[in-house]
Amino acid sequence: MQQLHQLADLMLAIEQSMRAADLWHANAPSPAAMASRTPFCADTLAFSEWLQFVFIPRMREIIEHNGQLPGVSAIAPLAEEALAEQPGKQAVVDRLREFDRAIGGPERA
């Protein structure tokens, strides 16, 4: 249960860091863009859109319903690459690194 509380706090922290970095989008992508079968919807969404409209809502749903958490996560390295040119990205990457560690990803401390 403590892990779920930690993850819920991290989802909020990720959202806050995205807003602070001006990576939070005002409009949702089209249903067609959201229906992509490509990992991270990379063919239809910017990485920040995927975080906001796919990753965060899915994680919140899992947390709220005490669902099955991913067995591993390595989102931070992808974020570092995808957001390389974005000012203020470091806080987002840092929060995602915390998420990876909490899940048990390769950056586990």
Side-chain angles (χ1 to χ4, degrees):
M1 188 61 90
Q2 182 178 3
Q3 183 184 27
L4 291 178
H5 290 293
Q6 178 188 12
L7 293 174
D9 290 345
L10 277 171
M11 290 304 105
L12 182 58
I14 292 166
E15 177 180 338
Q16 290 171 335
S17 63
M18 289 178 68
R19 287 179 185 275
D22 201 25
L23 292 170
W24 198 256
H25 304 271
N27 299 311
S30 71
M34 297 285 289
S36 171
R37 296 210 183 278
T38 301
F40 308 101
C41 300
D43 60 338
T44 58
L45 301 179
F47 183 75
S48 58
E49 290 176 307
W50 176 82
L51 281 174
Q52 179 179 345
F53 297 107
V54 179
F55 173 73
I56 292 173
R58 282 186 187 167
M59 286 308 304
R60 285 182 172 155
E61 184 175 336
I62 289 170
I63 292 164
E64 288 172 14
H65 294 97
N66 200 21
Q68 181 67 39
L69 293 168
V72 67
S73 178
I75 297 173
L78 179 60
E80 210 150 5
E81 183 177 322
L83 302 175
E85 302 300 317
Q86 294 292 327
K89 70 156 176 123
Q90 197 56 52
V92 176
V93 172
D94 290 346
R95 297 304 75 77
L96 291 170
R97 187 169 289 114
E98 290 176 41
F99 174 82
D100 288 348
R101 280 193 289 256
I103 292 296
E107 297 186 16
R108 189 178 201 159

